[in-house]
Amino acid sequence: AAGVIQSPRHLIKEKRETATLKCYPIPRHDTVYWYQQGPGQDPQFLISFYEKMQSDKGSIPDRFSAQQFSDYHSELNMSSLELGDSALYFCASSLGRGRQPQHFGDGTRLSIL
Amino acid sequence: AQTVTQSQPEMSVQEAETVTLSCTYDTSESDYYLFWYKQPPSRQMILVIRQEAYKQQNATENRFSVNFQKAAKSFSLKISDSQLGDAAMYFCAYRSLNTGNQFYFGTGTSLTVIP
């Protein structure tokens, strides 16, 4: 069965650069979640979208923005990258909002030099 | 790749009763970590309990305990004396120590606590 696809799997950037992470949900899933997991840390919820509208907002920095497109894929745009942005970024998708099963992607590992 | 399976999309428990959430995983590794996270409506992930695979003793945190069966690749979470505040999504997660500390998550179990 198709799973959540995240691209790229690995990304290396330098400070003050920008990065765009992409997430392709499971077909027919209408909700996407973004999480950030720093080294040795627990996942932090960043933001979620339901039917292309922002649904919940967590610890997303002002330097980051995200959106969900008409095909339900989502992109996380990160600007003015800092060393502390080095982390695993997970995307998950679900069918519907609320307490629905979330299917996680394998994550994008972002390294800031 | 490792997989984590939570076969119970929804569970319910009467307040003050005990409930067990199941989690199984597939791996060929011998050393790894297992986690249970609680996700309230805020969507934040709150660490409930962590288990190191090399430790035979089951981890316990107050009313939360696990039944870690390494050979069976099972890692269930037991919540005793359930409280209304325990209602949330619960995610089981696996952390590899070999593949760059990669995390793998189950799909979650929605726990309802009935007053």
Side-chain angles (χ1 to χ4, degrees), chain B residues 3 6 16-17 30-31 38 50-51 55 63 65 69-72 77 81 83 85 87-88 90 92 96 107 111 115:
Chain B
T3 57
Q6 293 180 251
E17 296 295 311
S30 58
D31 288 327
K38 173 184 177 182
R50 183 179 89 161
Q51 174 83 42
K55 289 187 177 180
R63 297 183 295 106
S65 61
Q69 301 289 328
K70 190 173 183 180
L77 175 69
D81 185 25
Q83 301 175 1
Y90 286 83
C92 178
S96 168
T107 52
L111 179 65

Side-chain angles (χ1 to χ4, degrees), chain B:
Chain B
Q2 285 74 9
T3 57
V4 178
T5 302
Q6 293 180 251
S7 59
Q8 307 154 316
E10 298 178 354
M11 290 284 285
S12 61
V13 62
Q14 206 77 33
E15 193 176 5
E17 296 295 311
T18 296
V19 64
T20 298
L21 308 184
S22 68
C23 173
T24 59
Y25 56 95
D26 186 26
T27 186
S28 58
E29 300 175 339
S30 58
D31 288 327
Y32 46 87
Y33 287 90
L34 295 165
F35 304 82
W36 277 100
Y37 287 99
K38 173 184 177 182
Q39 187 180 57
S42 68
R43 299 292 185 189
Q44 285 302 336
M45 291 280 205
I46 301 168
L47 177 65
V48 174
I49 204 163
R50 183 179 89 161
Q51 174 83 42
E52 292 92 339
Y54 64 86
K55 289 187 177 180
Q56 291 186 336
Q57 187 173 7
N58 289 325
T60 299
E61 287 289 341
N62 301 314
R63 297 183 295 106
F64 298 87
S65 61
V66 297
N67 184 4
F68 174 46
Q69 301 289 328
K70 190 173 183 180
K73 298 177 184 174
S74 171
F75 183 61
S76 60
L77 175 69
K78 186 172 81 171
I79 305 174
S80 305
D81 185 25
S82 297
Q83 301 175 1
L84 295 178
D86 295 334
M89 283 289 281
Y90 286 83
F91 290 94
C92 178
Y94 172 106
R95 183 181 129 198
S96 168
L97 296 181
N98 295 333
T99 55
N101 293 314
Q102 178 69 38
F103 258 79
Y104 301 90
F105 294 90
T107 52
T109 296
S110 174
L111 179 65
T112 298
V113 180
I114 303 167

